[in-house]
Amino acid sequence: MPAYSINIDKCDGCDACRVACPSSAISGEQYKKHKIDPDLCYNCGLCAELCENGAFLDGFGRPVKMRPREEWKTPIIDRSLCVGCSVCIEDCPQFALELSDPGFHGNIHVYAELKYPERCIGCGKCAKRCPVGAVAMGRAVIEDTVIPVNYDADEDIPDHDHASLLESIHDTLHGLFEDIKD
């Protein structure tokens, strides 16, 4: 997608976009017209979210209006897909993501989680870079709920019975060890 651009007729040089831009793609002096370097812009939309004048155009030339922070998209992480590789965490320009703690002693499955939602700017870098498709951007974060990336609002969210899965794994491993002992 082409980079965002600024309608210079609406830009008043307030400088909010330049200061907040996580990729330093916006340049200009305060109270003067600003511009976007398309090679640095990764279309996070934060500039448009902050602009009270509606001076921003998306990559297709459509005006983008300011929205209240509570309407910004945040990452929704499908814990059943996340492998804990940390790519999303390393790419987050605001350090809003962290690896979870293990669920119990001996559990090696950790996953990325939105630890600091107040820091998230909704840029979507985490979702774009996730190598397994475990991160999607959405407007609602429901804590302690697994929401698949391909979740359809008309479908029920699948229930994952982790206790029975762990019991099955334990029984299988126990059986293997018994066979080895014999």
Side-chain angles (χ1 to χ4, degrees):
M1 178 167 149
Y4 276 56
S5 60
I6 299 174
N7 177 345
I8 58 169
D9 294 332
K10 291 186 175 185
C11 177
D12 66 2
C14 74
D15 220 25
C17 59
R18 185 192 62 78
V19 171
C21 181
S23 65
S24 301
I26 301 174
S27 60
E29 295 178 32
Q30 193 167 15
Y31 306 118
K32 295 186 180 179
K33 307 297 181 187
H34 287 54
K35 64 181 180 177
I36 297 178
D37 181 342
D39 294 329
L40 295 176
C41 178
Y42 53 77
N43 298 311
C44 71
L46 178 62
C47 52
E49 303 285 359
L50 298 172
C51 184
E52 294 180 2
N53 300 320
F56 285 88
L57 306 172
D58 69 12
F60 301 104
R62 298 176 298 211
V64 183
K65 297 196 186 306
M66 179 182 181
R67 284 188 296 162
R69 186 172 182 90
E70 55 272 4
E71 291 182 15
W72 295 5
K73 292 181 179 182
T74 58
I76 298 172
I77 300 162
D78 184 339
R79 296 175 186 176
S80 68
L81 292 177
C82 181
V83 295
C85 69
S86 298
V87 169
C88 61
I89 294 167
E90 292 169 15
D91 272 2
C92 179
Q94 301 302 110
F95 309 102
L97 300 168
E98 284 189 4
L99 278 180
S100 68
D101 292 326
F104 54 88
H105 181 72
N107 183 7
I108 61 170
H109 185 248
V110 293
Y111 50 86
E113 62 183 358
L114 182 60
K115 192 76 150 204
Y116 305 101
E118 70 281 359
R119 293 182 187 172
C120 182
I121 59 173
C123 67
K125 282 184 79 174
C126 52
K128 291 175 188 168
R129 294 268 298 147
C130 179
V132 296
V135 184
M137 297 302 289
R139 290 205 176 116
V141 175
I142 303 169
E143 291 187 19
D144 299 326
T145 301
V146 177
I147 300 177
V149 172
N150 60 350
Y151 172 69
D152 180 351
D154 296 330
E155 297 177 14
D156 290 329
I157 297 174
D159 226 0
H160 300 286
D161 186 2
H162 296 292
S164 65
L165 176 63
L166 289 173
E167 187 177 312
S168 171
I169 291 169
H170 177 267
D171 292 345
T172 302
L173 290 174
H174 184 74
L176 288 172
F177 288 124
E178 290 298 315
D179 290 345
I180 291 171
K181 282 173 46 178
D182 292 338

